[in-house]
Amino acid sequence: MPKVSVIIPVYEVEKYIEQCVRSLFEQTLNDIEYIFIDDCTPDESIEVLQRVLKDYPQRRRQVCILHNEKNLGQGRTRKRGILAATGEFVIHCDPDDWVELEMYEKMYNEAINAHSEIVMCDFFRNYPNGIECKMHMADNTDKIQALVNLYTVDRMGTLCGHLVARHIVQDESLVWPQWNYTEDLVLIFQYVMKAKSLATVKEALYHYRDNLQSISYDKNDKIRKDFLLTDTLVEKWCKEIGIWERMLPQRLARGFKSKNRRLGAEKGDDSVAQKVWLKKNPELGFCDLIKADLPIASKLYSTILLLRLFPIVNKVIDIRRRIWS
């Protein structure tokens, strides 16, 4: 049994996939299974992969390339990879990103040493202009707080930064999302609920390429519908385990009857992304806020967001910790 299975869905990444796969094949952890799934990519991404693989003959037996008969989208393609995995732990890598060469060895060792079923790591966010920002994504191992952080976008809910025990990711009771945007949050939320313990490697090991052509920047109606599907599921689970009251931003969004509203993930560094909740929703006014059945602290927080004062306030006081604690 391999120690780690890495799942890589492939679709229209001809320009980036070489950097990705070289960083994967040069990992210091030797016992790895690589599962690439060709989601009917129309470019030469798979040809580039096969060409690069020739430079790493020691990895050839560890590489499995699956081909979808038709384009399934990211969610169902990832599911196919998850079900095919045979490793002790499973993790994902997007083919337009890349990883530090010791990433999987460090995460696997932490899982073993800490006896944990999920290990998280920090990220680098890399912009087209060459700027690189470190994103602190792995700073809490308390399960409840981890769930709160995931849903309030206090850290990125991505499969690529979570090494998860295979028995969890292949659990037959999992709800499998059939959509392609925020589908990773649906899975990670369930993983954390099922895990007995969490651990972190407090190093930035994954490089997230800020790609303006990726699905994350496609703001059409289909993407918004995908988010609503995710939001509905996670809200249901939060209520079942009794933590919905702590999901402040989403509670406000529901109270104002606008499930499209959420803490944003705009282009910019991570601290900025968490301060733009109401930017695109000018129809929400103070009268709505005052009439809303919300705690005083929530109304104060919402007022600060509504007035676009969060960047200023956050420099003086960590308001999120004071309100959410």
Side-chain angles (χ1 to χ4, degrees), residues 9-11 39 68 70-80 92 94 157-160 176-187 208 213-231 233 262:
V10 179
Y11 187 80
D39 194 22
N68 292 342
K70 63 179 181 179
N71 180 263
L72 298 179
Q74 186 167 264
R76 285 183 289 176
T77 296
R78 279 178 166 166
K79 179 179 180 180
R80 186 181 182 190
H92 297 248
D94 288 340
T158 171
L159 294 167
C160 300
W176 292 91
Q178 300 300 308
W179 49 98
N180 296 319
Y181 183 68
T182 68
E183 91 293 345
D184 47 358
L185 176 58
V186 173
L187 292 174
Y208 170 75
Q213 296 182 344
S214 74
I215 190 172
S216 298
Y217 282 96
D218 186 356
K219 302 301 181 184
N220 58 30
D221 289 340
K222 178 64 172 65
I223 300 303
R224 285 188 284 272
K225 290 178 181 178
D226 286 357
F227 181 81
L228 293 181
L229 291 170
T230 295
D231 188 62
L233 269 178
R262 63 189 179 96

Side-chain angles (χ1 to χ4, degrees), residues 255-291:
F256 298 130
K257 299 180 180 179
S258 176
K259 283 199 174 185
N260 290 338
R261 191 179 293 115
R262 63 189 179 96
L263 276 170
E266 293 190 347
K267 183 179 179 182
D269 64 47
D270 190 53
S271 62
V272 172
Q274 296 178 46
K275 303 168 188 173
V276 295
W277 184 54
L278 291 174
K279 183 176 180 180
K280 296 181 180 178
N281 299 276
E283 75 281 0
L284 177 63
F286 285 105
C287 289
D288 303 300
L289 186 59
I290 297 301
K291 293 177 182 178

Side-chain angles (χ1 to χ4, degrees), residues 25 48 55 102 105 155 204-205 276 304 315:
F25 294 156
V48 174
D55 294 337
E102 296 181 343
E105 181 176 19
R155 66 180 178 86
L205 299 174
V276 295
I304 291 171
K315 290 181 180 180

Side-chain angles (χ1 to χ4, degrees), residues 301-312:
Y301 178 79
S302 302
T303 300
I304 291 171
L305 288 170
L306 197 61
L307 293 174
R308 313 294 192 268
L309 295 176
F310 200 97
I312 298 173

Side-chain angles (χ1 to χ4, degrees), residues 107-325:
M107 296 185 78
Y108 177 81
N109 287 343
E110 180 63 25
I112 299 303
N113 294 335
H115 304 287
S116 292
E117 294 172 309
I118 297 180
V119 177
M120 305 167 284
C121 71
D122 290 337
F123 272 56
F124 288 112
R125 190 162 190 167
N126 295 85
Y127 296 98
N129 61 5
I131 293 177
E132 180 177 85
C133 298
K134 186 174 181 180
M135 303 169 67
H136 299 284
M137 296 294 163
D139 59 350
N140 204 302
T141 57
D142 176 77
K143 283 185 58 173
I144 298 302
Q145 189 59 50
L147 291 171
V148 172
N149 290 349
L150 279 170
Y151 199 34
T152 58
V153 197
D154 200 41
R155 66 180 178 86
M156 186 181 291
T158 171
L159 294 167
C160 300
H162 293 75
L163 185 75
V164 186
R166 180 164 59 90
H167 72 86
I168 291 180
V169 303
Q170 293 181 348
D171 191 313
E172 293 182 356
S173 67
L174 287 172
V175 175
W176 292 91
Q178 300 300 308
W179 49 98
N180 296 319
Y181 183 68
T182 68
E183 91 293 345
D184 47 358
L185 176 58
V186 173
L187 292 174
I188 294 170
F189 208 88
Q190 293 178 88
Y191 296 165
V192 174
M193 286 194 297
K194 291 178 179 295
K196 295 178 181 178
S197 62
L198 312 178
T200 65
V201 175
K202 293 185 179 180
E203 294 182 52
L205 299 174
Y206 189 90
H207 290 265
Y208 170 75
R209 188 188 303 274
D210 198 79
N211 181 3
L212 292 176
Q213 296 182 344
S214 74
I215 190 172
S216 298
Y217 282 96
D218 186 356
K219 302 301 181 184
N220 58 30
D221 289 340
K222 178 64 172 65
I223 300 303
R224 285 188 284 272
K225 290 178 181 178
D226 286 357
F227 181 81
L228 293 181
L229 291 170
T230 295
D231 188 62
T232 300
L233 269 178
V234 176
E235 178 183 330
K236 172 179 174 288
W237 293 327
C238 288
K239 289 180 177 178
E240 288 176 351
I241 61 179
I243 63 171
W244 180 241
E245 291 297 315
R246 297 182 65 177
M247 302 301 184
L248 175 61
Q250 278 63 33
R251 282 190 69 240
L252 294 173
R254 182 175 178 83
F256 298 130
K257 299 180 180 179
S258 176
K259 283 199 174 185
N260 290 338
R261 191 179 293 115
R262 63 189 179 96
L263 276 170
E266 293 190 347
K267 183 179 179 182
D269 64 47
D270 190 53
S271 62
V272 172
Q274 296 178 46
K275 303 168 188 173
V276 295
W277 184 54
L278 291 174
K279 183 176 180 180
K280 296 181 180 178
N281 299 276
E283 75 281 0
L284 177 63
F286 285 105
C287 289
D288 303 300
L289 186 59
I290 297 301
K291 293 177 182 178
D293 183 17
L294 295 169
I296 295 299
S298 298
K299 290 185 178 183
L300 174 62
Y301 178 79
S302 302
T303 300
I304 291 171
L305 288 170
L306 197 61
L307 293 174
R308 313 294 192 268
L309 295 176
F310 200 97
I312 298 173
V313 174
N314 203 37
K315 290 181 180 180
V316 180
I317 177 175
D318 190 346
I319 193 168
R320 283 170 296 135
R321 287 187 180 277
R322 288 175 179 259
I323 292 178
W324 293 349
S325 61

